[in-house]
Amino acid sequence: MTAPSTGFATSDTPADVVRRQYLASAAGDLEALRATLAPDVEWTEMAGFPLAGTYRTPEGVTSNVMEKLAQDWDEWTAHDDTYVVDGENVVVLARYTAANKATVKQLAVRVAHHFVVRGGKIVRFEQFVDTALVREAMTN
């Protein structure tokens, strides 16, 4: 298990690239988030998740995932708790927290994210989450 390094701001190690992605997402800095993604990135949101599907290109990821989450949720945050690194593979055990704008219900759910990082860029992402808990927060 490898945590991000203290010099992660300029490092191209897989864990550091992924950590920059989480920090950019939490700050709502879509430009910095796009900078962590390869031009041909494949970003997969799990079947059953409200944004299910595979998105390509950094702009495709931010417009179809991050911007849409911001439309439907207040303070959507992915909290990166534990990193497991094996070469270019980074698995992050994390939590989502947010409040749904329509129902005002709070969400707190555990997730796992699998990233593949090559050449200092995220080339693949796959989300694993209890989609029933997310949908429950969206339902009156």
Side-chain angles (χ1 to χ4, degrees):
M1 184 170 10
T2 304
S5 71
T6 56
F8 75 92
T10 57
S11 168
D12 283 342
T13 67
D16 292 342
V17 172
V18 169
R19 178 68 178 142
R20 283 196 304 274
Q21 180 274 151
Y22 279 103
L23 290 172
S25 178
D29 186 344
L30 298 184
E31 184 176 332
L33 192 149
R34 285 189 291 270
T36 67
L37 304 176
D40 59 347
V41 66
E42 282 188 12
W43 187 280
T44 302
E45 299 285 318
M46 188 170 173
F49 190 72
L51 303 174
T54 298
Y55 305 96
R56 291 174 174 79
T57 77
E59 293 77 16
V61 171
T62 55
S63 66
N64 290 297
V65 180
M66 286 68 183
E67 291 178 18
K68 289 187 178 179
L69 287 171
Q71 290 173 0
D72 295 332
W73 300 87
D74 285 322
E75 298 186 32
W76 180 277
T77 305
H79 307 270
D80 52 331
D81 296 330
T82 303
Y83 284 64
V84 181
V85 180
D86 182 19
E88 65 185 14
N89 292 284
V90 180
V91 174
V92 180
L93 304 178
R95 298 170 286 125
Y96 291 152
T97 59
N100 185 267
K101 290 182 179 181
T103 66
V104 194
K105 289 183 181 177
Q106 296 292 314
L107 173 70
V109 63
R110 294 291 291 161
V111 299
H113 293 154
H114 174 221
F115 296 86
V116 177
V117 180
R118 288 189 194 119
K121 300 284 185 182
I122 296 166
V123 297
R124 196 169 326 127
F125 166 87
E126 188 174 6
Q127 170 202 57
F128 301 90
V129 61
D130 185 340
T131 59
L133 291 177
V134 177
R135 294 215 176 261
E136 183 180 304
M138 299 174 69
T139 306
N140 283 322

